[in-house]
């Protein structure tokens, strides 16, 4: 049994009688985390990245007296760009659903989401008048997306088909929806200023100032929009519009890695 009680604050209480377990917490996320704590510490169930032992005893065991669990952490964050690109690039929905359950049961509060950025970039760039065929060439194979999302390369292993891009956008929307159902906060890609290195040759925007970024181990980097220039607010607004369209949510937290393993600030005056 799960009971929502706002007065619990950051505390989770586990109690009950044999065969009837009660988890009480202030919100859905803590209820799920409390259930995970019960499974691990009282029912002795093992659910992990490396293997499972999930046969529940019967009747369900209960603590001798009510147990109160309180985490000192308000944010427990999962993933970085490399994890998602190296490990999760080709996961299907069943694998992702299991992963999100694992995060929720173990008390994670926030998780980075990158599935769907391919469609976000396509819509963002084409909406500005950048040619669609060039936009598709800018998007890399998912196995190289970590370096793309951190501004280290363009288009390597691509282009992807429109079907692939649309499928990943659908996956991204399902991921954020499931996370929110379990009380977690998806962390989406904020606009840090990346554009394709030939952006200025194809798009005319008043007040645009670009900072070349050179190469990263022989890969051409995207260029960076000067955040103090007149065009930056418009580009950022268009980015978040495309992001909302893909994921179906406005987003509560955003991240980005602007100068990963190098990059140049230019001279800002």
């Amino acid at each position: 049994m799960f009971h929502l009680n706002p007065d619990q604050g950051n505390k989770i209480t586990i109690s009950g009688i044999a065969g009837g377990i009660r988890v009480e917490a202030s919100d859905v996320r803590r209820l799920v985390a409390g259930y995970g704590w019960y499974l691990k510490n009282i029912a002795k169930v093992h659910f992990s990245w490396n293997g499972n032992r999930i046969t529940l005893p019967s009747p369900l065991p209960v603590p001798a007296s009510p147990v109160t669990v309180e985490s000192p952490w308000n944010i427990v964050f999962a993933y970085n760009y490399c994890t998602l690109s190296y490990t999760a690039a080709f996961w299907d929905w069943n694998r992702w659903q299991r992963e999100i359950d694992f995060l929720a049961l173990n008390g994670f509060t926030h998780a980075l989401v990158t599935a769907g950025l391919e469609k976000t970039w396509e819509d963002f760039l084409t909406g500005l008048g950048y040619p669609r065929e060039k936009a598709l060439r800018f998007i890399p194979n998912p196995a190289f997306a970590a370096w793309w999302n951190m501004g280290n390369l363009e288009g390597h292993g691509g282009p992807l088909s429109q079907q692939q891009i649309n499928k990943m956008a659908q996956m991204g929307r399902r991921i954020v929806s499931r996370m929110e159902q379990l009380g977690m906060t998806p962390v989406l890609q904020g606009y840090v200023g990346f554009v394709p290195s030939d952006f200025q040759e194809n798009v005319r925007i008043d007040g645009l100032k670009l900072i070349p970024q050179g190469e990263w181990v022989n890969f051409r980097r995207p260029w960076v929009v000067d955040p103090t220039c007149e065009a930056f607010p418009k580009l950022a607004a268009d980015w978040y519009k495309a992001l909302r369209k893909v994921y179906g949510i406005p987003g509560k937290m955003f991240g980005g890695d602007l100068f990963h393993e190098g990059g140049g600030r230019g001279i800002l005056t």
Side-chain angles (χ1 to χ4, degrees):
M1 296 177 291
F2 297 94
H3 180 65
L4 281 171
N5 178 4
D7 293 336
Q8 286 282 110
N10 198 35
K11 296 179 180 179
I12 303 166
T13 302
I14 302 165
S15 60
I17 59 174
I21 310 305
R22 177 185 173 93
V23 181
E24 185 173 0
S26 60
D27 55 36
V28 170
R29 181 184 65 77
R30 289 181 174 88
L31 284 178
V32 178
Y35 178 47
W37 194 96
Y38 166 81
L39 291 175
K40 181 187 296 184
N41 295 281
I42 298 175
K44 304 302 182 183
V45 163
H46 185 74
F47 183 63
S48 79
W49 282 315
N50 296 318
N52 300 327
R53 187 180 64 250
I54 56 176
T55 301
L56 286 167
S58 181
L60 293 174
V62 65
S65 59
V67 174
T68 298
V69 181
E70 183 174 7
S71 171
W73 315 115
N74 293 321
I75 294 179
V76 182
F77 187 89
Y79 308 135
N80 57 34
Y81 296 102
C82 292
T83 301
L84 294 173
S85 188
Y86 295 177
T87 302
F90 303 107
W91 283 358
D92 62 12
W93 173 241
N94 287 336
R95 181 63 184 85
W96 260 115
Q97 192 168 27
R98 182 194 185 281
E99 184 73 4
I100 297 166
D101 287 348
F102 171 85
L103 295 178
L105 288 168
N106 282 279
F108 284 88
T109 63
H110 295 69
L112 179 65
V113 178
T114 56
L117 285 178
E118 298 82 5
K119 182 62 175 171
T120 303
W121 269 107
E122 180 191 7
D123 290 351
F124 169 67
L125 289 174
T126 57
L128 292 166
Y130 190 76
R132 182 174 300 276
E133 66 276 10
K134 288 180 177 288
L136 296 180
R137 287 201 296 270
F138 176 71
I139 300 167
N141 181 284
F144 300 93
W147 308 110
W148 176 55
N149 291 326
M150 295 186 290
N152 289 347
L153 56 76
E154 300 180 335
H156 192 66
L160 303 180
S161 69
Q162 192 64 57
Q163 182 181 14
Q164 288 174 299
I165 290 173
N166 293 343
K167 184 177 180 180
M168 286 188 285
Q170 182 184 36
M171 181 72 74
R173 182 178 281 241
R174 293 184 78 177
I175 290 169
V176 301
S177 176
R178 179 63 173 163
M179 285 182 178
E180 290 197 325
Q181 287 172 3
L182 295 177
M184 290 186 290
T185 300
V187 179
L188 303 180
Q189 176 75 16
Y191 187 64
V192 297
F194 296 138
V195 291
S197 56
D198 66 350
F199 183 76
Q200 200 163 25
E201 301 166 19
N202 293 275
V203 178
R204 295 290 178 263
I205 299 179
D206 291 340
L208 179 66
K209 179 180 178 182
L210 298 180
I211 304 172
Q213 296 298 300
E215 293 186 345
W216 175 75
V217 291
N218 296 321
F219 289 105
R220 182 175 59 184
R221 289 178 180 268
W223 286 18
V224 171
V225 181
D226 177 352
T228 68
C229 76
E230 179 185 345
F232 191 93
K234 171 183 168 40
L235 292 170
D238 286 355
W239 172 262
Y240 291 110
K241 179 181 177 181
L243 203 72
R244 287 192 297 270
K245 180 181 176 182
V246 168
Y247 292 104
I249 62 172
K252 297 178 181 178
M253 185 171 287
F254 304 91
D257 192 338
L258 179 56
F259 293 128
H260 180 82
E261 294 186 3
R265 293 178 302 161
I267 300 174
L268 305 184
T269 59

